[in-house]
Amino acid sequence: MQLTDRINRIQVSPTMAVLSAAERCKSQGVDLVDFGPGEPDFPTPEHIKRAAIKALEENCTKYTASGGILPLREAVCAWHRRELGSSFEPKECVINVGGKHAIFNAVSVLVQSGDEVLIPAPYWVSFPDIVKYAGGTPVRVNTLPQDGFPLRAAAVEKALTPRAKMLIVNSPCNPTGAVVPPEEFERILALCRKRGLWLLTDECYSHFVYPPNQPFSVAALAGSSEGLVVIGSLSKTFAMTGWRVGYTLAPAALIEAVIKLQSQSTSNPTSIAQYAALEALRGPMDSVPLMLAEYARRRRRIVEGLRATPGVACGEPGGAFYVFPDVSAHLGSAKNALAKNDNDLASLLLEKARVAVVPGEAFGAPGFLRISYATSMDRVEEGLRRIAGLLARAEAA
Ligand code: PLP
């Protein structure tokens, strides 16, 4: 079949591949510890579900404006102002079908052939492929494990060329959990503005940060929306991954372009999901600190457990619900190595220990594994036992 060049430039998300392998195991009745998922293990809060039911009962089931209902655009701006200190107006806001869709659309309207897009590595798997699909060239910006992986302005400056059009920052980061400190973010913003670079900031994990970090948006320092694209999502903060609601905050002209694209592609995000989102943003947020407290407990335990595992080096992430340990001591061609690379180690963990993790290679970081602790404390304990069992056997061999 003759498919287009643009579809042949991208691949199926490798995290989805792990999810499928884990699902296959589970369907065969295997007792799997699943550290794969990138989504909260908590249900959507009741008051949000009730708002969706009410919207259904009131027949809010028709097309809405392509860019989302105005009350929701207003609520996003008000929420972002209250929670993160920005000052966007509704004409600078569009509602998208999740954060991924928001990034896809913003990149589609800003990036074309010949443009470079700077992406800090390790990166979320979708960033490079979304850029490639738009015709752009992803350019890697390194972050360092010994520094805890936060992006540094100096590293951005090193990677800049005259063809650079955009920098994508994701803080807290999937997969490392790294948080860019506010003063570093300020330097990054100043550099982008000086060099005429769009700064796309993916804030999907903004509210999952551990003390002393606080929820933060660079938009609070920006003064205006010039050169800035803020991407947010209700998926993680409100445990609403399946509802598919995200948003973009950016200069009005860019928002109009995204609305034009949506008017010819998805049209509006699902109407009832928009009403649920409205309740999420306007209603009580007590579920968020409860989830965060539970993630904090698991993070402490998983970091401690991995650090006690032979041949594993694990930093303490500042946010999100992932740890990203270095397992390179177990890899290579030496006789006592457990596996050739992180892909093989992930397969081994699945087959022999019945633990699902995502290999670092998928995030541009060979030698690492991404472990999601969006699963119960019991499963965290069991997973740690199984990983330690496999790796300790290797050490002893
Ligand atoms: N950005 C990052 C860094 C993510 O990890 C994810 C989801 O895993 C998203 C964006 C997109 O989330 P959604 O499309 O569910 O809003």
Side-chain angles (χ1 to χ4, degrees), residues 17-358:
V18 172
L19 284 182
S20 316
E23 279 316 314
R24 253 196 323 278
C25 277
K26 284 187 215 164
S27 70
Q28 290 159 4
V30 171
D31 165 33
L32 188 76
V33 175
D34 195 355
F35 285 146
E39 64 179 342
D41 56 315
F42 300 97
T44 304
E46 278 306 315
H47 66 106
I48 299 175
K49 291 195 270 193
R50 277 200 307 275
I53 293 166
K54 182 160 172 281
L56 257 180
E57 285 172 350
E58 290 175 358
N59 293 315
C60 300
T61 52
K62 309 285 190 198
Y63 290 132
T64 75
S66 296
I69 55 174
L70 184 60
L72 183 54
R73 293 169 73 184
E74 289 168 345
V76 167
C77 295
W79 182 85
H80 204 272
R81 180 186 305 246
R82 188 189 80 211
E83 292 289 317
L84 298 157
S86 66
S87 50
F88 292 98
E89 296 172 32
K91 67 174 193 276
E92 297 171 301
C93 176
V94 57
I95 310 303
N96 317 100
V97 186
K100 189 184 278 186
H101 183 227
I103 297 162
F104 188 93
N105 283 359
V107 169
S108 294
V109 303
L110 284 173
V111 174
Q112 59 192 357
S113 167
D115 292 336
E116 291 180 351
V117 176
L118 274 54
I119 302 177
Y123 45 74
W124 180 46
V125 293
S126 293
F127 291 140
D129 278 17
I130 289 175
V131 168
K132 285 188 210 160
Y133 193 75
T137 306
V139 173
R140 181 187 176 100
V141 182
N142 285 321
T143 65
L144 303 173
Q146 60 273 30
D147 187 29
F149 292 113
L151 178 65
R152 301 284 173 195
V156 177
E157 191 146 28
K158 237 195 259 164
L160 268 176
T161 74
R163 291 175 6 150
K165 179 77 187 268
M166 177 187 277
L167 166 70
I168 298 181
V169 182
N170 170 220
S171 173
C173 170
N174 174 6
T176 63
V179 173
V180 178
E183 61 283 4
E184 194 69 41
F185 233 134
E186 196 167 9
R187 282 193 279 275
I188 292 167
L189 174 69
L191 176 64
C192 287
R193 284 190 162 165
K194 188 167 127 213
R195 303 289 289 266
L197 209 62
W198 282 93
L199 173 57
L200 185 151
T201 171
D202 175 349
E203 300 180 346
C204 288
Y205 296 93
S206 62
H207 281 62
F208 294 137
V209 286
Y210 306 104
N213 296 305
Q214 292 288 326
F216 169 78
S217 172
V218 71
L221 309 174
S224 79
S225 59
E226 181 207 331
L228 195 61
V229 184
V230 174
I231 301 292
S233 168
L234 279 81
S235 287
K236 321 279 173 169
T237 313
F238 298 100
M240 291 177 71
T241 45
W243 297 75
R244 312 308 304 135
V245 186
Y247 57 83
T248 309
L249 297 163
L254 196 155
I255 296 298
E256 273 172 37
V258 169
I259 293 175
K260 180 163 75 171
L261 178 57
Q262 285 187 189
S263 78
Q264 297 294 13
S265 50
T266 51
S267 295
N268 60 275
T270 305
S271 60
I272 50 177
Q274 290 189 63
Y275 286 95
L278 193 56
E279 171 60 23
L281 297 175
R282 283 183 180 166
M285 277 182 57
D286 16 348
S287 60
V288 179
L290 295 179
M291 282 193 278
L292 183 63
E294 181 55 24
Y295 289 143
R297 226 164 58 86
R298 297 174 193 169
R299 179 187 69 140
R300 239 188 338 269
R301 178 66 195 111
I302 205 159
V303 167
E304 175 192 78
L306 288 169
R307 283 180 176 169
T309 304
V312 178
C314 186
E316 184 170 70
F321 38 69
Y322 310 105
V323 281
F324 202 60
D326 180 344
V327 290
S328 54
H330 287 285
L331 309 178
S333 47
K335 231 169 104 206
N336 61 346
L338 192 57
K340 209 162 70 247
N341 54 40
D342 51 285
N343 276 313
D344 289 355
L345 182 58
S347 301
L348 207 61
L349 280 165
L350 189 64
E351 283 158 25
K352 296 270 190 284
R354 298 306 192 189
V355 176
V357 298
V358 186

